[in-house]
Amino acid sequence: MTEPMLTVKDLHAFYGKSHVLRGVHMEIMPGEVIALLGRNGVGRSTTAKAIMGEVPPKGEITFKGQRIDGLESYRIAHLGLGYVPESRDIFPMMTVRENLILGIKDMKKPGRWTIEEMLEMFPNLKERADNLAGVLSGGEKQMLTMCRTLMGNPDLIIIDEPTEGLAPKIVQQVGDMIADIARAGVAILLVEQKLSIALRIAARVYVMGHGEIVYEGTPEDFKTRADIRKEWLEV
Amino acid sequence: METIVFSLLNGVIYGLLLFMLSSGLTLIFSMMGVLNFAHASFYMLGAYFAYSIAGVTNFWIALILAPVLVGLVGAAVEKWGLRSVHANGHVAELLFTFGLAYLIDEVVKIIWGRNAVDYRVPELLDFPMFELFGAQYPAYRVFILLVSVGMLAALWFILNRTRAGLIIQAALTHPHMVGHLGHNVPRIFMSVFGAGCALAGLAGVIGGNYLVTDPAMAVQMGPIVFVVVVVGGLGSLTGAFLAAMLLGLMQTFAVGIDASFADIFGWLGLSATSELGGITIASLAPMIPFLMLVLILMVRPRGLMGDREL
């Protein structure tokens, strides 16, 4: 049995006085795809932010055997943890190619993909390589932000709500892309609302409610648990 | 014609000096979110450092060394001062830079005295470059022009054509994301602060002997530089450039105009001997920057090229 790549133990987080995460436990194995489900406001995005150090975490977060809670975000990134935030945060005044260049952490250490290879894989982006990123469509921006993080050669990538606000056809494309990333051997923590995408890709499912993990299981098991869906997911 | 050509040249030079000062300030503003009140003090430090270094070596060594030293002082201030203040919010940062400006002023007075120092134009450049309409034009002003344009080109190249420049630009607008991509944002901020101070220092080195090097130079220049940054649009280098040029030219031309209110409003029956009529356009020159500041804040609060409001 190999060691988990990421271990989250008793993670708490606060926004001012409100106690948002109340002891989250989570494990991700190398190359594993995990879906983190739950209703809006239960703390899924905060979990992602706390792991990445954007929200001060209280608890124990270990990545590849090293404690990362309290580390500066660039150090966490250098350990091989990539983050695609919900806000996407592309650099709008730079071209698609320049955005990708900024994803490279160290020009002397080439990653899995070069910029040209990345553009070959995603023809929509290739067509727009020299356009300003700010004029891309929502789906293209989402692809760009994922590609940009991949340029940094992460071993685990946390993707927060990638399909939010996208048209159904584009949702399908983004889903395909996440499946491609998984096939390349990158572990993924996918924060997602849409069960169709999450259950198609994930090897394991976590459901959050009120700042805690309330269910953990395989997609097959999850499909039989109408009670969980009713209590924690359906509106 | 003679007045126009010379005013144009002098205005451009003054504008370029203003831009050198405000370019650093506007970059630092984008990064901190507050104006750095001590920025003009780094300009003063540049002039005094150059004066002392030139005293023991020569101007050319001072030209390189003084801005580097000012940049190091700036980087140290960011690393050991501002960074810890930052956690307590913008007001604390603003007050910190305010106090720092006075601190530098006092240190300068203690070390170099209260009177102006004899910081001179280097002999090598102390000759008339060319003669126009019977008047001579000093070579040193042409030198200021060349250094400023060279600095401008270097700054543009670094920010727009190098990866480091792209990282800086991205860090100014999306610091969290740039951190998540593995770039050391605190170090980037320290470098930008240091480089901005070095630019102010360079303006001091080449401007201190052209204008004057005394303990009041920071207080005189500071407000004008703020005007440039606000009028140009907070955080916009292009805007700062336009505003600096505009201000430089307007102020220089106003000084050069030999007219009074009586000449302009004479048709109203205003006589040159009356109090109002006796006011000359030249005497209004110092007012121009602040008039522009007030007007732009009323009419276009985000400045000429800025993308955010104050």
Side-chain angles (χ1 to χ4, degrees):
Chain A
M1 181 79 188
T2 50
E3 289 285 302
M5 180 178 254
L6 180 80
T7 312
V8 176
K9 269 189 202 159
D10 199 25
L11 177 65
H12 293 257
F14 299 81
Y15 283 124
K17 278 187 180 160
S18 76
H19 195 167
V20 186
L21 299 185
R22 298 163 175 269
V24 174
H25 292 268
M26 190 182 278
E27 279 184 354
I28 302 176
M29 305 302 286
E32 194 181 27
V33 179
I34 301 282
L36 182 56
L37 307 173
R39 292 197 186 104
N40 273 332
V42 295
R44 295 166 307 144
S45 288
T46 308
T47 303
K49 285 181 184 161
I51 294 172
M52 295 311 298
E54 201 165 313
V55 173
K58 289 206 170 61
E60 207 178 302
I61 308 170
T62 315
F63 181 63
K64 293 195 210 161
Q66 189 176 338
R67 286 285 291 269
I68 59 166
D69 45 289
L71 275 191
E72 287 164 291
S73 55
Y74 76 92
R75 291 191 195 276
I76 297 175
H78 273 273
L79 290 172
L81 189 47
Y83 177 45
V84 177
E86 195 179 356
S87 48
R88 291 172 192 155
D89 282 356
I90 53 143
F91 308 128
M93 300 309 287
M94 294 179 197
T95 65
V96 167
R97 192 184 297 274
E98 286 169 336
N99 267 269
L100 292 177
I101 289 174
L102 290 191
I104 304 170
K105 289 172 195 148
D106 187 344
M107 294 302 275
K108 289 174 214 123
K109 279 188 224 152
R112 286 188 187 85
W113 300 280
T114 64
I115 285 175
E116 295 314 317
E117 285 164 354
M118 192 63 82
L119 291 173
E120 285 302 325
M121 276 192 283
F122 303 102
N124 314 31
L125 291 182
K126 191 180 180 184
E127 278 172 35
R128 295 175 164 269
D130 296 307
N131 291 15
L132 289 184
V135 303
L136 299 183
S137 69
E140 288 166 336
K141 281 181 184 158
Q142 185 59 44
M143 289 189 185
L144 174 60
T145 182
M146 290 196 283
C147 287
R148 182 180 61 184
T149 297
L150 288 177
M151 291 308 298
N153 217 16
D155 298 313
L156 167 62
I157 174 168
I158 300 178
I159 309 178
D160 195 357
E161 298 279 9
T163 62
E164 199 181 286
L166 300 182
K169 195 181 151 206
I170 312 295
V171 169
Q172 184 66 32
Q173 283 182 17
V174 170
D176 292 345
M177 183 174 168
I178 297 172
D180 286 343
I181 298 171
R183 264 193 296 278
V186 181
I188 298 173
L189 174 60
L190 178 64
V191 178
E192 184 53 76
Q193 294 263 35
K194 296 185 182 68
L195 289 183
S196 57
I197 297 282
L199 296 181
R200 187 180 121 206
I201 306 167
R204 235 158 15 99
V205 174
Y206 284 107
V207 178
M208 265 188 107
H210 304 314
E212 287 170 290
I213 300 290
V214 293
Y215 168 84
E216 178 193 345
T218 61
E220 292 70 36
D221 180 66
F222 178 78
K223 280 172 194 159
T224 66
R225 298 293 298 272
D227 56 325
I228 293 287
R229 285 206 301 276
K230 189 167 175 23
E231 188 175 359
W232 298 109
L233 295 175
E234 281 155 20
V235 185
Chain B
M1 188 63 204
E2 177 192 330
T3 323
I4 292 177
V5 172
F6 278 94
S7 291
L8 198 66
L9 274 170
N10 291 341
V12 166
I13 287 172
Y14 186 53
L16 283 169
L17 272 180
L18 279 181
F19 176 68
M20 208 184 288
L21 266 160
S22 37
S23 56
L25 186 62
T26 200
L27 281 178
I28 292 169
F29 172 80
S30 310
M31 169 181 110
M32 300 202 309
V34 295
L35 283 174
N36 171 17
F37 267 103
H39 198 70
S41 305
F42 289 99
Y43 156 76
M44 177 164 72
L45 276 185
Y48 274 100
F49 282 0
Y51 163 70
S52 289
I53 295 168
V56 283
T57 58
N58 61 51
F59 175 79
W60 306 103
I61 292 176
L63 181 66
I64 307 289
L65 201 56
V68 172
L69 286 177
V70 175
L72 289 176
V73 173
V77 164
E78 199 281 334
K79 183 164 186 186
W80 287 296
L82 263 176
R83 204 177 288 179
S84 47
V85 178
H86 183 74
N88 301 325
H90 282 350
V91 176
E93 280 180 294
L94 204 66
L95 290 173
F96 175 89
T97 66
F98 199 66
L100 184 68
Y102 280 95
L103 203 65
I104 295 177
D105 270 21
E106 292 305 321
V107 169
V108 163
K109 282 179 200 159
I110 289 168
I111 299 178
W112 287 283
R114 291 179 175 275
N115 299 323
V117 294
D118 187 21
Y119 175 35
R120 281 193 196 172
V121 170
E123 270 177 38
L124 192 66
L125 291 172
D126 200 5
F127 64 92
M129 187 69 132
F130 53 84
E131 203 167 290
L132 215 59
F133 313 112
Q136 291 172 338
Y137 202 77
Y140 190 69
R141 293 191 193 180
V142 178
F143 172 75
I144 295 182
L145 193 78
L146 293 178
V147 172
S148 307
V149 170
M151 185 282 307
L152 194 73
L155 188 67
W156 183 87
F157 182 83
I158 290 171
L159 281 177
N160 292 303
R161 286 285 178 271
T162 68
R163 196 174 97 98
L166 291 179
I167 295 174
I168 290 171
Q169 290 198 43
L172 295 181
T173 53
H174 299 82
H176 287 299
M177 191 64 231
V178 171
H180 293 314
L181 291 174
H183 305 297
N184 186 343
V185 176
R187 199 176 65 197
I188 296 168
F189 280 8
M190 184 186 73
S191 315
V192 170
F193 199 92
C197 291
L199 282 177
L202 179 63
V205 177
I206 60 175
N209 47 7
Y210 167 62
L211 302 163
V212 66
T213 301
D214 67 8
M217 64 192 285
V219 180
Q220 280 163 1
M221 201 54 125
I224 300 176
V225 177
F226 287 152
V227 174
V228 171
V229 171
V230 174
V231 169
L234 292 163
S236 163
L237 275 177
T238 321
F241 181 74
L242 289 178
M245 281 309 181
L246 196 65
L247 259 178
L249 288 170
M250 277 170 70
Q251 262 196 303
T252 318
F253 270 101
V255 171
I257 292 172
D258 186 22
S260 66
F261 271 22
D263 298 321
I264 300 169
F265 300 110
W267 53 274
L268 280 176
L270 210 59
S271 99
T273 50
S274 69
E275 271 183 33
L276 196 59
I279 297 174
T280 59
I281 299 297
S283 70
L284 294 181
M287 222 174 87
I288 291 174
F290 308 104
L291 191 65
M292 268 174 80
L293 177 72
V294 170
L295 287 179
I296 204 100
L297 283 175
M298 283 162 59
V299 181
R300 197 179 159 85
R302 60 193 179 89
L304 294 176
M305 307 281 287
D307 46 14
R308 55 181 141 179
E309 306 214 339
L310 264 176

